[in-house]
Amino acid sequence: MSPDDAGAASATPKTPEGQSSQRPDQTPPQKPRTAPQGSNNQPPQRLNRRASDADNGNAAGPGQDERRRVSQGPPPGLPERRTSLESNPQAQRFERRRADKGPPGDMPDRRQGRGRRSEDPKAQDAGPQGAAQNAEDGEVIRGERQGAVLAAKTEIKSRIRNLKFVDLYVPLHKNGVARYNVKNPRLGEPGNVPVSELHAGDLGKLREQLITIEKDDFSVVHDKVRYRGSRAELANGEKWVCLRRISDKVPTLEQLNIENNLTKAMRDVGHRHGLIIVCGGTGQGKSTTANALLADYLERLGNVAMTIEDPVEFNLAGERGNGGYCFQVEVDGEEDWAPALKRALRWHPRYLLVGEIRSGAAAAQVLRAATSGHLVITTFHAGSVEKGLQSIIQVAETEIGPRAQELVAEGLAAAFHQTLTRSGPEISYLFTDPSGVDPARQYIRAGKLHMLNSYMEQQAIRMGGGGLDQS
């Protein structure tokens, strides 16, 4: 052993067998790592070359490194891979972004943007100018959408069907200004005002439709809404039409806000035969109450009904409730009422609804039907129950003479007079006894209609105390 080896041996302390001679504060020697053959790890000289490029300020991006790998070829032992830019879409996109937007560090943070990113790859990779264009396009689209919504709302408001009115007055000459009652002036609400220019388009269509109608009293459907119309020629030669909206659905007796005791008594009459008269002033809801009664009878009791009207107001045609069915007939003139009523009786209807008695012949047919097993509901213009009975007697007398008074007394089942109020219809009423023996019939036969008022007051007191006493 040489002297140098001896000195080294003496400097190293001896340790027991099986223990390491290295001290705890010493780092174990590292063996140089070499890449195995066929490994994908880069050789040291390639790493050193990348480090030297970084020191010289030539930082290699992903695209540069890709081109180096392509130029150097695959490591030994691996098959050749197609990693050129032409066959790598991801590298192509990166190169386009790099060319348009500069280094990756200068790319804007998309997380700061609001809303959804465009689904168009060209819009995503268009750079700051493209982002500004996308924002401008988005504003245009939002503006177009808001404009479309505003136009739709305006179109809805411009339709006559959305105008709140009781009566609409339409001039049939082009330069006339249509007017309407806002609600109901009789209830102290705003009166007649002109229709705004917003409705000019739809109003023109309605006017053209009204000009083609030849009848003076008619019903018309415009924009899926049914109206009852009446045409008149004024003293100055102008022709106008008054329209009143007709509800799509017949209201129930409860929806009319009729008192519970009176509602029960009105329904009980549906089991009888005879004549029901609903009278009142113009626009006081006579037709609505008459149709509500008929609809209630059909839905609860069933059977067949026929309506004879000029024009037909409410749509009652078809099946109603369980076993009820309604046929509706519209007459064209005054002379058609009596023949239509005569034909209706051949259909054997349980219920008849006559829109309004306008002639002696029609009144005579109504009284014959009421005294031959049918329940007839009709309306009449009158200021009270007594005046309504007096009017129908007078009209019928023109056709059948003094016998009219006896037929009214025999056939009358109930009579109502109503006036609209804010809380609902205010109704005075008269019910006769089904047996045929009661003071009301005696007063009618004797022509003492003025005596009916006191009898009606007593009847109202009995009904208010728990029901109608017809004894």
Side-chain angles (χ1 to χ4, degrees), residues 12-244:
T12 303
K14 296 181 179 181
T15 57
E17 185 177 358
Q19 296 183 1
S20 174
S21 62
Q22 181 180 350
R23 292 180 299 180
D25 57 346
Q26 289 182 340
T27 302
Q30 300 291 334
K31 293 183 180 181
R33 298 178 61 183
T34 59
Q37 187 175 359
S39 173
N40 290 335
N41 296 334
Q42 296 179 351
Q45 59 270 20
R46 187 175 298 175
L47 296 175
N48 294 337
R49 183 168 55 195
R50 179 180 294 182
S52 63
D53 290 341
D55 294 340
N56 295 333
N58 299 328
Q64 257 181 319
D65 188 54
E66 181 71 20
R67 287 193 295 273
R68 286 176 180 171
R69 288 198 297 270
V70 171
S71 62
Q72 293 173 1
L78 290 180
E80 182 179 358
R81 296 181 301 169
R82 297 183 63 186
T83 57
S84 63
L85 291 176
E86 291 78 3
S87 61
N88 192 332
Q90 183 177 2
Q92 294 176 9
R93 287 195 295 271
F94 179 82
E95 286 299 324
R96 287 198 300 270
R97 288 197 298 269
R98 185 169 177 271
D100 294 339
K101 303 179 181 180
D106 296 336
M107 294 175 63
D109 187 2
R110 286 195 177 95
R111 291 175 296 179
Q112 297 177 0
R114 300 180 64 182
R116 296 180 58 187
R117 294 177 56 189
S118 172
E119 297 180 358
D120 187 1
K122 296 181 179 180
Q124 297 180 13
D125 301 334
Q129 295 180 353
Q133 182 65 35
N134 291 341
E136 183 178 352
D137 293 343
E139 291 294 333
V140 172
I141 293 174
R142 283 192 291 271
E144 291 176 352
R145 289 177 179 174
Q146 292 175 358
V149 171
L150 180 61
K153 291 182 178 179
T154 304
E155 193 273 335
I156 292 175
K157 291 181 180 179
S158 65
R159 296 161 70 177
I160 294 296
R161 65 176 299 168
N162 297 314
L163 186 66
K164 296 181 179 180
F165 64 88
V166 175
D167 296 301
L168 175 66
Y169 303 92
V170 182
L172 299 185
H173 52 285
K174 293 184 179 180
N175 297 329
V177 178
R179 307 183 67 86
Y180 69 101
N181 291 335
V182 178
K183 288 186 179 178
N184 194 338
R186 295 183 180 85
L187 300 182
E189 295 170 343
N192 193 272
V193 295
V195 178
S196 68
E197 289 293 331
L198 178 65
H199 302 85
D202 195 27
L203 188 62
K205 298 178 183 178
L206 176 59
R207 181 184 290 111
E208 293 177 359
Q209 187 175 357
L210 295 176
I211 292 175
T212 61
I213 300 176
E214 298 180 356
K215 296 177 59 177
D216 291 332
D217 296 308
F218 56 89
S219 63
V220 62
V221 178
H222 177 72
D223 196 12
K224 300 180 180 180
V225 177
R226 190 177 183 87
Y227 301 93
R228 182 181 63 187
S230 178
R231 182 174 56 187
E233 184 174 352
L234 306 184
N236 58 5
E238 295 179 351
K239 292 183 178 181
W240 285 68
V241 170
C242 177
L243 296 176
R244 173 162 294 192

Side-chain angles (χ1 to χ4, degrees), residues 429-444:
Y429 47 86
L430 170 66
F431 294 94
T432 61
D433 194 304
S435 65
V437 180
D438 63 272
R441 298 185 192 276
Q442 297 175 7
Y443 293 148
I444 296 174

Side-chain angles (χ1 to χ4, degrees), residues 269-283:
V269 180
H271 297 277
R272 301 172 53 181
H273 65 268
L275 176 64
I276 299 176
I277 302 176
V278 183
C279 54
T282 303

Side-chain angles (χ1 to χ4, degrees), residues 385-395 449:
V385 169
E386 301 94 309
K387 291 181 179 179
L389 293 174
Q390 184 178 5
S391 297
I392 192 173
I393 292 174
Q394 291 176 350
V395 173
L449 299 179

